[in-house]
Amino acid sequence: MKTKIKKELKVKRSLAGLGLFADEPIKKGEFVIEYIGKILTREEADRKGGKYLFEISSRRTVNGSGRDNVARYINHSCKPNCEVDIKKGRIFIYALRSIKVGEELNYDYGEEYVDEYIKPYGCKCKPCVKK
Ligand SMILES: [Zn+2]
């Protein structure tokens, strides 16, 4: 499967390791990128574990650890500029507000992920680091 990328994006260093940055202006509400990967059942996902599992329903999870899934570089933020929309088992990422060239993209990973993978190490998103 090929990543459906709508906008020009760049992978660069960020506060939390690598991140995905806008390489052209993105308007509020615009489709940015699809998060792609193999669809796993709940059992397969539990067995596999890891950071790139994206739950799309109570029964199905997308394994986004593949190299072609550029969207996996998008980091978590507590004050994100993107949001996720799950439609028919696919994960689409949209701009929550207008985004300038060079701005890092992020979305809220959700409580469960944050509690498990982020809180133990301290959140590295901009609003949290500034505090
Ligand atoms: Zn944060």
Side-chain angles (χ1 to χ4, degrees):
M1 206 199 301
K2 272 212 99 186
T3 302
K4 197 175 157 197
I5 303 176
K6 180 76 190 308
K7 305 306 285 185
E8 289 298 325
L9 307 166
K10 235 186 210 165
V11 178
K12 288 197 300 191
R13 291 236 139 257
S14 83
L15 293 168
L18 290 174
L20 196 61
F21 292 76
D23 210 24
E24 67 172 316
I26 303 171
K27 286 197 202 91
K28 180 180 174 179
E30 260 191 304
F31 169 63
V32 180
I33 190 170
E34 181 178 356
Y35 190 103
I36 56 157
K38 205 175 157 238
I39 290 174
L40 308 177
T41 63
R42 176 145 223 153
E43 294 73 36
E44 286 171 328
D46 284 345
R47 234 179 295 138
K48 189 150 187 36
K51 293 210 293 179
Y52 297 112
L53 296 178
F54 199 122
E55 211 176 281
I56 50 174
S57 75
S58 55
R59 288 174 296 122
R60 294 196 300 169
T61 297
V62 169
N63 175 18
S65 63
R67 275 180 153 252
D68 52 350
N69 180 32
V70 178
R72 75 193 174 119
Y73 291 108
I74 300 177
N75 290 308
H76 162 83
S77 176
C78 301
K79 230 182 138 194
N81 54 16
C82 292
E83 66 179 341
V84 171
D85 193 16
I86 297 167
K87 259 188 223 145
K88 291 184 178 156
R90 293 172 69 183
I91 306 161
F92 300 102
I93 295 161
Y94 291 88
L96 206 50
R97 57 169 174 77
S98 62
I99 298 166
K100 291 191 228 72
V101 174
E103 242 186 282
E104 183 175 0
L105 306 178
N106 39 55
Y107 58 83
D108 190 337
Y109 280 19
E111 214 175 318
E112 214 177 295
Y113 184 99
V114 170
D115 283 348
E116 188 165 351
Y117 294 104
I118 294 177
K119 272 195 188 150
Y121 315 100
C123 186
K124 301 238 178 15
C125 85
K126 252 191 185 159
C128 288
V129 167
K130 259 191 208 156
K131 268 178 209 165

